[in-house]
Each structure stands twice: as structure tokens, then as C-alpha cells.
Amino acid sequence: MVIKNERILDIAAEVLARRPDATLQTIADSAGISRTTIFNRYPTRGDLIEALAMDTVARIGAVMQRVPTSMDDDVDVALLAVTVALMPLASRTIFLRLHVDTHDVLETHWIDAVTPLAVYIATLQAHGRLRQDHPYRWLTASYIGLLFAAWDEIESGEIGPVQAARLITQTWLAGAEYAG
Amino acid sequence: MVIKNERILDIAAEVLARRPDATLQTIADSAGISRTTIFNRYPTRGDLIEALAMDTVARIGAVMQRVPTSMDDDVDVALLAVTVALMPLASRTIFLRLHVDTHDVLETHWIDAVTPLAVYIATLQAHGRLRQDHPYRWLTASYIGLLFAAWDEIESGEIGPVQAARLITQTWLAGAEYAG
DNA sequence: CTCATTTTTGATCACCACGTTCAGAAGTTA
DNA sequence: TAACTTCTGAACGTGGTGATCAAAAATGAG
């Protein structure tokens, strides 16, 4: 039976989430395949990690495409919709935080993936819809920071995806909107 | 010359921040000591990582002790003071995010370190000084999320520690205070 | 300064995960 | 059934790690 790369990455994500230093053999066993098969797809351990991270970034990027490009829609509604769509990716985002900072190629892709959001935020601020005394970079970074915080809470089982999305958007908007 | 554990951890943090998979030999060389000496202090690589993370958590915990236990002081002033004191730890917090989630002992210490803040936030909320419609766990998690976001921005050289602290407290307070 | 104690060091060993190869088994497709 | 693709298990070298130890260096007490 021909195993899909997608499935390998799913299993790897699951195993590595618990034990970041898990053996390739362990991952292979969990997927019910040979270590050689993993090698055929991903020649080095780093390649597997990279593919895993890239896939996660790609999924985040796909959701970010749904960020508005104009200001026609209500900000809170549009942002909530995007945030809800991001929540299910929680279990995939654990590595991301460590590797994005040290892996150059990955960091580039990450920036690309998040660009639609950054542009939207910059646009909102330029039109006076967001506070002017914070750099737009921080407005973006703070949203992403809340995103990771919520993903953590979801992973720990404290809150559900829908509630998490509401908390993020409410917290961020209150902090980012112009406060007189 | 007897090298201090403190110095080993400093060098290790510096080297591992750039290359998380750096060799113990590389770390030893950077510190100008023998690999055996590192082994004498930290029998396994995991022990070194753990000690490094524990040290960082301890430093964060030390700062958190300065969180008010009563509500006598102004919230924004008190919070800003603590946040400013946390900013210089930026370079030490890179690993934390990955290991806290998977390392049980570390997670326990992390929770202990952050408890003063969690208690303060819970107290403020109980007295109606923070919005009631968000669980106090989220109020705490969101502050920490912004903390990590700011640490990232500092590490990338985008903003300075003092400005970062201001952005965190302003953003968080606006999002956490009761919005009528 | 001298000597006993502590610490560091370099050398050396086994072990294990990884990178790599390959012939054969298993599966897919024509 | 035959031709192909993919998966598999075994094998080997390499390199980082865990571990030990005697010698060298640093420290501290008298």
C-alpha cells in the first residue's frame, strides 16, 4: 500500500508533539511503515521537520488568504471568521515557534503566509481604524501572540476552538482599536 | 580556573539560540572548557537543556515576585514595572516555548513562577476591575502571549525593551479592562 | 610557600540514531 | 501474466552522546 506524504506528516506531527526528540524508527513504527520509506521521502531528519513545518505554515497561509483586502466588511466579523478557521491547526503549531526563529527558509514562508493579515492591519491603521500610537508591526505581532496563546489553551483542553477565537478577537480588537 | 555553572548556561543559551542542535563539544569550545566538565555538571544533554530552561523560569519567577499582592497601587503602573523587568530576559526565552509544553517538571515550575501574576489578575477580576466575560485563565494566558510576542520583536531588533513593555501593558490592559 | 584537596582535562570506550545503499518482497498497473 | 513502481529489511559507516579514569591544573588551608 502506497502511503501518502500527508499521512506521514500527520503521524510525525502527532509523535513529535509529545516527544520532540522521538526516533525516526518510532515515527515509522507509529505510521506502520519502514524507516527506509521515510528516508525515501525525506532524506534527513531535518527535511522531515522542515516539511512538517512548511505544511503547517502553508495551512495557516491558506486561511490567511481569507483575510479581507478591502475595508467593506465589519472588522470584527471578518477577523472572527479567519480566527475560527485558524483554531483547528492548534496541534500542528507546537514546533513552529522554535523552528521559525532559526530556520531561514521557513521564516521567509512564515512571513509570506502572514502577509495578508499584516497588510489588512496596516490598511486599517492607515485609515484611522486602529490606534496610531502603536507600530503596525506590533499590532500584527500582538495578534499572532494571542493566536499562539489560544492554541496553547486549546491544546491543554482548557477552552474550545470557537470560544478561543472569540477571546482572541475581542482581546485584540479592544487593544488595537483607537482608544480616544 | 573554576568555571561557574552560570557562565556555562549563559554560553549554552547563546549557542543553542542560534543552533538548537548544536553539539556539546561546540558549546564546550565556546565556553573554553572541556566537554567532560559539562558532563560533570550536567550528566546528559537533557539535563543541560533542563537546567537552562529552569534558570530562565527562575529568573522570570523572581521578577513575578514583584507583582502586587494587594490592589493599592495603580494597575497600569505596577504592571508596567514588572513588564519592563521581564524584557531583558528575551534572549533566554527561545527554548522555553518548546520545552515547557513537553517537559513535566519544567511545566510545574513555570506554573509556579507565573502564579503571582495569575493571582493578581484573578483578584483584579474578582473586584470588578477586569472584564467578567473572559475567564481569568485567558486574561493570564493573553498577557503571557503578548509577552512572548514582544520578546520576539526585541530579539529581531524591531523594538527596544522599554517600548516593548509599554506596548504589552497598553494592549493587554485595553483588552482586559471592563469595556462597559 | 607547601601540601592536601578539588576541579578540569584529554583520552578512550561502548552505544545508538542517523545517513546511505541495495537486493528482494509486495504492491500496483497494463 | 508481465512490467513497473513502491516498500521493506538488512547491512554498514559516521558522529554525537554517555561514561570512566588517570594525569594535569587550580584552589585553599596551614
Short mmCIF file of all heavy atoms in Angstrom, two decimals, chain A residues 53-114:
data_model
loop_
_atom_site.label_atom_id
_atom_site.label_comp_id
_atom_site.label_asym_id
_atom_site.label_seq_id
_atom_site.Cartn_x
_atom_site.Cartn_y
_atom_site.Cartn_z
N ALA A 53 6.87 21.56 9.18
CA ALA A 53 6.66 22.98 9.49
C ALA A 53 6.11 23.73 8.27
O ALA A 53 5.20 24.55 8.40
CB ALA A 53 7.97 23.60 9.96
N MET A 54 6.68 23.42 7.11
CA MET A 54 6.23 24.07 5.87
C MET A 54 4.75 23.80 5.64
O MET A 54 4.00 24.69 5.24
CB MET A 54 7.04 23.55 4.67
CG MET A 54 8.46 24.05 4.62
SD MET A 54 8.60 25.79 4.12
CE MET A 54 10.22 25.75 3.35
N ASP A 55 4.34 22.55 5.87
CA ASP A 55 2.95 22.17 5.67
C ASP A 55 2.04 22.96 6.59
O ASP A 55 0.97 23.45 6.18
CB ASP A 55 2.80 20.67 5.92
CG ASP A 55 1.38 20.20 5.69
OD1 ASP A 55 0.90 20.30 4.55
OD2 ASP A 55 0.74 19.74 6.66
N THR A 56 2.48 23.11 7.85
CA THR A 56 1.68 23.87 8.80
C THR A 56 1.58 25.33 8.38
O THR A 56 0.50 25.93 8.40
CB THR A 56 2.31 23.78 10.20
OG1 THR A 56 2.44 22.41 10.57
CG2 THR A 56 1.46 24.51 11.23
N VAL A 57 2.72 25.88 7.98
CA VAL A 57 2.73 27.27 7.52
C VAL A 57 1.82 27.44 6.30
O VAL A 57 1.08 28.42 6.20
CB VAL A 57 4.16 27.72 7.17
CG1 VAL A 57 4.14 29.06 6.44
CG2 VAL A 57 5.01 27.81 8.42
N ALA A 58 1.86 26.45 5.41
CA ALA A 58 1.01 26.52 4.21
C ALA A 58 -0.47 26.54 4.59
O ALA A 58 -1.26 27.28 4.01
CB ALA A 58 1.32 25.34 3.29
N ARG A 59 -0.83 25.71 5.59
CA ARG A 59 -2.23 25.68 6.01
C ARG A 59 -2.65 27.01 6.61
O ARG A 59 -3.77 27.50 6.37
CB ARG A 59 -2.45 24.56 7.04
CG ARG A 59 -2.22 23.17 6.47
CD ARG A 59 -2.72 22.13 7.44
NE ARG A 59 -2.22 20.80 7.10
CZ ARG A 59 -2.71 19.67 7.61
NH1 ARG A 59 -3.70 19.73 8.47
NH2 ARG A 59 -2.21 18.51 7.27
N ILE A 60 -1.76 27.58 7.42
CA ILE A 60 -2.04 28.89 8.00
C ILE A 60 -2.17 29.92 6.89
O ILE A 60 -3.08 30.75 6.89
CB ILE A 60 -0.93 29.29 9.00
CG1 ILE A 60 -0.96 28.35 10.20
CG2 ILE A 60 -1.10 30.74 9.44
CD1 ILE A 60 0.20 28.56 11.17
N GLY A 61 -1.26 29.82 5.93
CA GLY A 61 -1.28 30.76 4.80
C GLY A 61 -2.57 30.66 4.02
O GLY A 61 -3.13 31.68 3.58
N ALA A 62 -3.08 29.43 3.86
CA ALA A 62 -4.33 29.23 3.11
C ALA A 62 -5.48 29.94 3.81
O ALA A 62 -6.34 30.55 3.16
CB ALA A 62 -4.61 27.74 2.98
N VAL A 63 -5.50 29.87 5.14
CA VAL A 63 -6.55 30.55 5.90
C VAL A 63 -6.40 32.06 5.79
O VAL A 63 -7.38 32.80 5.65
CB VAL A 63 -6.53 30.11 7.37
CG1 VAL A 63 -7.55 30.91 8.17
CG2 VAL A 63 -6.81 28.61 7.49
N MET A 64 -5.16 32.52 5.85
CA MET A 64 -4.89 33.96 5.81
C MET A 64 -5.34 34.60 4.49
O MET A 64 -5.60 35.80 4.42
CB MET A 64 -3.39 34.21 6.01
CG MET A 64 -2.90 33.95 7.42
SD MET A 64 -3.57 35.14 8.63
CE MET A 64 -2.73 34.60 10.14
N GLN A 65 -5.43 33.75 3.45
CA GLN A 65 -5.92 34.27 2.16
C GLN A 65 -7.35 34.80 2.29
O GLN A 65 -7.80 35.60 1.46
CB GLN A 65 -5.92 33.16 1.09
CG GLN A 65 -4.55 32.59 0.77
CD GLN A 65 -3.69 33.54 -0.04
OE1 GLN A 65 -4.17 34.55 -0.51
NE2 GLN A 65 -2.41 33.22 -0.17
N ARG A 66 -8.04 34.35 3.33
CA ARG A 66 -9.43 34.77 3.50
C ARG A 66 -9.56 36.08 4.26
O ARG A 66 -10.68 36.55 4.52
CB ARG A 66 -10.19 33.66 4.23
CG ARG A 66 -10.35 32.42 3.33
CD ARG A 66 -10.51 31.13 4.11
NE ARG A 66 -11.69 31.13 4.97
CZ ARG A 66 -12.09 30.08 5.67
NH1 ARG A 66 -11.39 28.94 5.58
NH2 ARG A 66 -13.14 30.14 6.44
N VAL A 67 -8.42 36.67 4.62
CA VAL A 67 -8.45 38.00 5.24
C VAL A 67 -8.90 39.00 4.18
O VAL A 67 -8.45 38.92 3.03
CB VAL A 67 -7.04 38.38 5.76
CG1 VAL A 67 -6.99 39.84 6.17
CG2 VAL A 67 -6.64 37.47 6.92
N PRO A 68 -9.80 39.92 4.54
CA PRO A 68 -10.29 40.90 3.56
C PRO A 68 -9.15 41.74 2.99
O PRO A 68 -8.15 41.97 3.64
CB PRO A 68 -11.22 41.79 4.40
CG PRO A 68 -11.59 40.98 5.59
CD PRO A 68 -10.41 40.10 5.87
N THR A 69 -9.33 42.17 1.76
CA THR A 69 -8.35 43.07 1.15
C THR A 69 -8.89 44.50 1.10
O THR A 69 -8.16 45.44 0.84
CB THR A 69 -7.98 42.61 -0.28
OG1 THR A 69 -9.18 42.43 -1.03
CG2 THR A 69 -7.22 41.29 -0.24
N SER A 70 -10.20 44.62 1.31
CA SER A 70 -10.78 45.96 1.40
C SER A 70 -11.35 46.15 2.80
O SER A 70 -11.25 45.25 3.63
CB SER A 70 -11.88 46.11 0.36
OG SER A 70 -13.03 45.38 0.76
N MET A 71 -11.93 47.30 3.04
CA MET A 71 -12.50 47.55 4.36
C MET A 71 -14.01 47.55 4.33
O MET A 71 -14.67 48.18 5.15
CB MET A 71 -11.97 48.87 4.93
CG MET A 71 -10.45 48.89 4.99
SD MET A 71 -9.80 50.24 6.00
CE MET A 71 -11.04 51.47 5.79
N ASP A 72 -14.57 46.83 3.36
CA ASP A 72 -16.01 46.81 3.19
C ASP A 72 -16.72 46.09 4.33
O ASP A 72 -17.75 46.53 4.82
CB ASP A 72 -16.38 46.15 1.85
CG ASP A 72 -15.81 46.94 0.67
OD1 ASP A 72 -15.50 48.13 0.87
OD2 ASP A 72 -15.67 46.36 -0.42
N ASP A 73 -16.16 44.95 4.73
CA ASP A 73 -16.80 44.15 5.77
C ASP A 73 -16.51 44.72 7.16
O ASP A 73 -15.59 45.51 7.34
CB ASP A 73 -16.28 42.70 5.71
CG ASP A 73 -16.48 42.10 4.33
OD1 ASP A 73 -17.58 42.25 3.78
OD2 ASP A 73 -15.52 41.47 3.82
N ASP A 74 -17.32 44.30 8.13
CA ASP A 74 -17.05 44.65 9.51
C ASP A 74 -15.75 43.98 9.94
O ASP A 74 -15.54 42.79 9.71
CB ASP A 74 -18.20 44.17 10.41
CG ASP A 74 -19.41 45.08 10.30
OD1 ASP A 74 -19.25 46.21 9.77
OD2 ASP A 74 -20.50 44.68 10.74
N VAL A 75 -14.90 44.76 10.59
CA VAL A 75 -13.61 44.24 11.01
C VAL A 75 -13.76 43.06 11.96
O VAL A 75 -13.13 42.02 11.79
CB VAL A 75 -12.75 45.34 11.68
CG1 VAL A 75 -11.44 44.76 12.18
CG2 VAL A 75 -12.50 46.48 10.71
N ASP A 76 -14.62 43.22 12.95
CA ASP A 76 -14.74 42.16 13.96
C ASP A 76 -15.29 40.87 13.36
O ASP A 76 -14.85 39.78 13.71
CB ASP A 76 -15.57 42.63 15.15
CG ASP A 76 -16.92 43.19 14.72
OD1 ASP A 76 -17.13 43.34 13.49
OD2 ASP A 76 -17.75 43.45 15.59
N VAL A 77 -16.24 41.01 12.46
CA VAL A 77 -16.82 39.82 11.83
C VAL A 77 -15.79 39.10 10.97
O VAL A 77 -15.62 37.89 11.05
CB VAL A 77 -18.05 40.20 10.97
CG1 VAL A 77 -18.55 38.98 10.20
CG2 VAL A 77 -19.15 40.77 11.85
N ALA A 78 -15.11 39.87 10.13
CA ALA A 78 -14.12 39.29 9.23
C ALA A 78 -12.98 38.63 10.01
O ALA A 78 -12.54 37.51 9.70
CB ALA A 78 -13.55 40.37 8.30
N LEU A 79 -12.53 39.31 11.05
CA LEU A 79 -11.41 38.80 11.84
C LEU A 79 -11.80 37.54 12.59
O LEU A 79 -11.03 36.58 12.68
CB LEU A 79 -10.94 39.87 12.82
CG LEU A 79 -9.50 39.76 13.32
CD1 LEU A 79 -8.54 39.81 12.15
CD2 LEU A 79 -9.20 40.85 14.32
N LEU A 80 -13.03 37.53 13.10
CA LEU A 80 -13.50 36.36 13.82
C LEU A 80 -13.58 35.14 12.90
O LEU A 80 -13.19 34.04 13.28
CB LEU A 80 -14.87 36.62 14.45
CG LEU A 80 -15.47 35.47 15.26
CD1 LEU A 80 -14.57 35.12 16.44
CD2 LEU A 80 -16.87 35.80 15.76
N ALA A 81 -14.03 35.37 11.68
CA ALA A 81 -14.15 34.27 10.72
C ALA A 81 -12.78 33.64 10.45
O ALA A 81 -12.62 32.42 10.46
CB ALA A 81 -14.77 34.77 9.42
N VAL A 82 -11.79 34.47 10.22
CA VAL A 82 -10.43 33.99 9.96
C VAL A 82 -9.89 33.26 11.18
O VAL A 82 -9.31 32.17 11.08
CB VAL A 82 -9.49 35.15 9.57
CG1 VAL A 82 -8.05 34.68 9.53
CG2 VAL A 82 -9.90 35.73 8.23
N THR A 83 -10.11 33.85 12.34
CA THR A 83 -9.58 33.28 13.57
C THR A 83 -10.18 31.91 13.86
O THR A 83 -9.47 30.98 14.26
CB THR A 83 -9.82 34.22 14.76
OG1 THR A 83 -9.35 35.53 14.42
CG2 THR A 83 -9.08 33.74 15.99
N VAL A 84 -11.47 31.79 13.65
CA VAL A 84 -12.14 30.49 13.84
C VAL A 84 -11.50 29.43 12.95
O VAL A 84 -11.26 28.30 13.37
CB VAL A 84 -13.65 30.60 13.54
CG1 VAL A 84 -14.28 29.21 13.41
CG2 VAL A 84 -14.35 31.39 14.64
N ALA A 85 -11.20 29.82 11.71
CA ALA A 85 -10.61 28.87 10.76
C ALA A 85 -9.19 28.48 11.15
O ALA A 85 -8.69 27.43 10.76
CB ALA A 85 -10.62 29.47 9.36
N LEU A 86 -8.53 29.33 11.92
CA LEU A 86 -7.15 29.04 12.33
C LEU A 86 -7.08 28.09 13.53
O LEU A 86 -6.10 27.35 13.68
CB LEU A 86 -6.42 30.35 12.68
CG LEU A 86 -6.01 31.24 11.51
CD1 LEU A 86 -5.51 32.59 12.04
CD2 LEU A 86 -4.94 30.57 10.66
N MET A 87 -8.09 28.11 14.34
CA MET A 87 -8.05 27.37 15.60
C MET A 87 -7.78 25.87 15.47
O MET A 87 -7.00 25.32 16.25
CB MET A 87 -9.36 27.60 16.39
CG MET A 87 -9.54 29.00 16.90
SD MET A 87 -8.23 29.51 18.07
CE MET A 87 -7.06 30.37 17.01
N PRO A 88 -8.37 25.18 14.47
CA PRO A 88 -8.15 23.73 14.36
C PRO A 88 -6.70 23.34 14.11
O PRO A 88 -6.35 22.17 14.20
CB PRO A 88 -9.02 23.34 13.15
CG PRO A 88 -10.05 24.40 13.07
CD PRO A 88 -9.36 25.64 13.49
N LEU A 89 -5.87 24.30 13.78
CA LEU A 89 -4.47 23.99 13.47
C LEU A 89 -3.61 23.92 14.73
O LEU A 89 -2.39 23.73 14.66
CB LEU A 89 -3.89 25.05 12.52
CG LEU A 89 -4.59 25.14 11.16
CD1 LEU A 89 -4.04 26.32 10.36
CD2 LEU A 89 -4.41 23.85 10.37
N ALA A 90 -4.25 24.05 15.88
CA ALA A 90 -3.53 24.12 17.16
C ALA A 90 -2.46 23.05 17.32
O ALA A 90 -1.29 23.35 17.59
CB ALA A 90 -4.52 24.03 18.32
N SER A 91 -2.85 21.79 17.09
CA SER A 91 -1.91 20.69 17.37
C SER A 91 -0.71 20.72 16.44
O SER A 91 0.32 20.11 16.72
CB SER A 91 -2.63 19.35 17.24
OG SER A 91 -3.10 19.17 15.91
N ARG A 92 -0.84 21.43 15.32
CA ARG A 92 0.26 21.47 14.35
C ARG A 92 1.26 22.58 14.60
O ARG A 92 2.27 22.70 13.91
CB ARG A 92 -0.32 21.64 12.94
CG ARG A 92 -0.82 20.36 12.31
CD ARG A 92 0.34 19.38 12.17
NE ARG A 92 0.05 18.28 11.28
CZ ARG A 92 0.28 18.30 9.97
NH1 ARG A 92 0.80 19.36 9.41
NH2 ARG A 92 0.00 17.25 9.24
N THR A 93 0.97 23.45 15.55
CA THR A 93 1.76 24.69 15.67
C THR A 93 2.82 24.64 16.77
O THR A 93 3.49 25.64 17.04
CB THR A 93 0.83 25.88 15.97
OG1 THR A 93 0.18 25.65 17.21
CG2 THR A 93 -0.20 26.03 14.87
N ILE A 94 2.96 23.47 17.40
CA ILE A 94 3.86 23.38 18.54
C ILE A 94 5.32 23.61 18.16
O ILE A 94 6.03 24.38 18.80
CB ILE A 94 3.71 22.02 19.25
CG1 ILE A 94 2.28 21.89 19.78
CG2 ILE A 94 4.69 21.91 20.40
CD1 ILE A 94 2.01 20.59 20.48
N PHE A 95 5.78 22.96 17.08
CA PHE A 95 7.18 23.12 16.65
C PHE A 95 7.45 24.51 16.15
O PHE A 95 8.51 25.09 16.37
CB PHE A 95 7.51 22.19 15.51
CG PHE A 95 7.07 20.81 15.76
CD1 PHE A 95 5.83 20.39 15.35
CD2 PHE A 95 7.89 19.94 16.43
CE1 PHE A 95 5.41 19.12 15.61
CE2 PHE A 95 7.47 18.67 16.69
CZ PHE A 95 6.23 18.25 16.28
N LEU A 96 6.48 24.98 15.40
CA LEU A 96 6.63 26.22 14.65
C LEU A 96 7.39 27.29 15.41
O LEU A 96 8.32 27.89 14.89
CB LEU A 96 5.23 26.74 14.28
CG LEU A 96 5.08 27.14 12.82
CD1 LEU A 96 5.54 26.05 11.91
CD2 LEU A 96 3.66 27.51 12.53
N ARG A 97 7.02 27.47 16.66
CA ARG A 97 7.59 28.56 17.44
C ARG A 97 9.10 28.45 17.56
O ARG A 97 9.81 29.44 17.52
CB ARG A 97 6.96 28.61 18.82
CG ARG A 97 5.67 29.39 18.82
CD ARG A 97 4.84 29.10 20.03
NE ARG A 97 4.03 27.90 19.85
CZ ARG A 97 3.07 27.53 20.68
NH1 ARG A 97 2.83 28.25 21.76
NH2 ARG A 97 2.37 26.45 20.44
N LEU A 98 9.61 27.22 17.70
CA LEU A 98 11.07 27.07 17.84
C LEU A 98 11.76 27.20 16.50
O LEU A 98 12.76 27.89 16.37
CB LEU A 98 11.40 25.70 18.45
CG LEU A 98 12.89 25.51 18.73
CD1 LEU A 98 13.34 26.42 19.87
CD2 LEU A 98 13.21 24.07 19.05
N HIS A 99 11.22 26.54 15.47
CA HIS A 99 11.95 26.43 14.22
C HIS A 99 11.86 27.68 13.36
O HIS A 99 12.78 27.98 12.62
CB HIS A 99 11.45 25.20 13.45
CG HIS A 99 11.77 23.91 14.15
ND1 HIS A 99 13.05 23.44 14.28
CD2 HIS A 99 10.99 23.01 14.79
CE1 HIS A 99 13.04 22.30 14.94
NE2 HIS A 99 11.80 22.02 15.27
N VAL A 100 10.74 28.39 13.44
CA VAL A 100 10.60 29.59 12.61
C VAL A 100 11.73 30.58 12.89
O VAL A 100 12.25 31.22 11.98
CB VAL A 100 9.23 30.27 12.86
CG1 VAL A 100 9.28 31.73 12.46
CG2 VAL A 100 8.15 29.55 12.08
N ASP A 101 12.15 30.66 14.14
CA ASP A 101 13.16 31.64 14.52
C ASP A 101 14.55 31.28 14.02
O ASP A 101 15.38 32.16 13.80
CB ASP A 101 13.19 31.79 16.05
CG ASP A 101 11.89 32.39 16.57
OD1 ASP A 101 11.29 33.20 15.86
OD2 ASP A 101 11.49 32.02 17.69
N THR A 102 14.81 29.99 13.84
CA THR A 102 16.18 29.58 13.50
C THR A 102 16.32 29.12 12.05
O THR A 102 17.43 29.07 11.54
CB THR A 102 16.64 28.44 14.43
OG1 THR A 102 15.68 27.39 14.40
CG2 THR A 102 16.78 28.94 15.86
N HIS A 103 15.21 28.77 11.42
CA HIS A 103 15.25 28.24 10.06
C HIS A 103 14.91 29.34 9.07
O HIS A 103 13.76 29.78 8.98
CB HIS A 103 14.27 27.08 9.93
CG HIS A 103 14.47 26.25 8.70
ND1 HIS A 103 14.27 26.75 7.44
CD2 HIS A 103 14.86 24.97 8.53
CE1 HIS A 103 14.51 25.81 6.55
NE2 HIS A 103 14.88 24.71 7.19
N ASP A 104 15.88 29.76 8.28
CA ASP A 104 15.71 30.92 7.39
C ASP A 104 14.60 30.73 6.36
O ASP A 104 13.72 31.58 6.23
CB ASP A 104 17.03 31.23 6.68
CG ASP A 104 18.04 31.84 7.62
OD1 ASP A 104 17.63 32.27 8.72
OD2 ASP A 104 19.24 31.87 7.28
N VAL A 105 14.64 29.61 5.64
CA VAL A 105 13.65 29.38 4.60
C VAL A 105 12.25 29.36 5.19
O VAL A 105 11.31 29.96 4.65
CB VAL A 105 13.91 28.03 3.88
CG1 VAL A 105 12.87 27.80 2.80
CG2 VAL A 105 15.31 28.03 3.27
N LEU A 106 12.14 28.69 6.33
CA LEU A 106 10.84 28.59 7.00
C LEU A 106 10.34 29.97 7.41
O LEU A 106 9.15 30.29 7.24
CB LEU A 106 10.97 27.68 8.22
CG LEU A 106 9.69 27.29 8.93
CD1 LEU A 106 8.74 26.60 7.97
CD2 LEU A 106 10.01 26.37 10.11
N GLU A 107 11.24 30.77 7.93
CA GLU A 107 10.86 32.11 8.37
C GLU A 107 10.32 32.93 7.20
O GLU A 107 9.32 33.65 7.33
CB GLU A 107 12.06 32.82 9.00
CG GLU A 107 11.69 34.17 9.60
CD GLU A 107 12.79 34.73 10.49
OE1 GLU A 107 13.97 34.38 10.27
OE2 GLU A 107 12.48 35.51 11.40
N THR A 108 10.96 32.80 6.05
CA THR A 108 10.51 33.51 4.85
C THR A 108 9.08 33.11 4.49
O THR A 108 8.21 33.97 4.25
CB THR A 108 11.43 33.21 3.65
OG1 THR A 108 12.76 33.58 4.00
CG2 THR A 108 11.00 34.00 2.42
N HIS A 109 8.83 31.80 4.47
CA HIS A 109 7.50 31.32 4.15
C HIS A 109 6.47 31.77 5.18
O HIS A 109 5.33 32.07 4.85
CB HIS A 109 7.50 29.79 4.04
CG HIS A 109 8.07 29.29 2.75
ND1 HIS A 109 7.30 28.76 1.73
CD2 HIS A 109 9.34 29.25 2.30
CE1 HIS A 109 8.08 28.43 0.72
NE2 HIS A 109 9.32 28.70 1.04
N TRP A 110 6.89 31.79 6.43
CA TRP A 110 6.00 32.23 7.51
C TRP A 110 5.57 33.68 7.28
O TRP A 110 4.40 34.02 7.37
CB TRP A 110 6.70 32.08 8.86
CG TRP A 110 6.00 32.76 9.98
CD1 TRP A 110 6.36 33.92 10.60
CD2 TRP A 110 4.78 32.34 10.63
NE1 TRP A 110 5.46 34.24 11.58
CE2 TRP A 110 4.48 33.29 11.63
CE3 TRP A 110 3.93 31.25 10.45
CZ2 TRP A 110 3.36 33.19 12.45
CZ3 TRP A 110 2.81 31.16 11.28
CH2 TRP A 110 2.54 32.10 12.26
N ILE A 111 6.56 34.51 6.96
CA ILE A 111 6.27 35.92 6.71
C ILE A 111 5.30 36.05 5.53
O ILE A 111 4.33 36.82 5.58
CB ILE A 111 7.57 36.70 6.43
CG1 ILE A 111 8.41 36.75 7.71
CG2 ILE A 111 7.27 38.10 5.92
CD1 ILE A 111 9.79 37.34 7.53
N ASP A 112 5.54 35.28 4.48
CA ASP A 112 4.65 35.31 3.32
C ASP A 112 3.24 34.91 3.72
O ASP A 112 2.26 35.54 3.30
CB ASP A 112 5.16 34.35 2.23
CG ASP A 112 6.43 34.88 1.56
OD1 ASP A 112 6.74 36.07 1.76
OD2 ASP A 112 7.09 34.11 0.86
N ALA A 113 3.14 33.85 4.52
CA ALA A 113 1.83 33.34 4.90
C ALA A 113 1.02 34.37 5.69
O ALA A 113 -0.20 34.46 5.55
CB ALA A 113 1.99 32.05 5.72
N VAL A 114 1.71 35.14 6.51
CA VAL A 114 1.03 36.08 7.40
C VAL A 114 0.83 37.44 6.76
O VAL A 114 0.11 38.29 7.28
CB VAL A 114 1.83 36.20 8.72
CG1 VAL A 114 1.19 37.20 9.65
CG2 VAL A 114 1.96 34.85 9.40
#
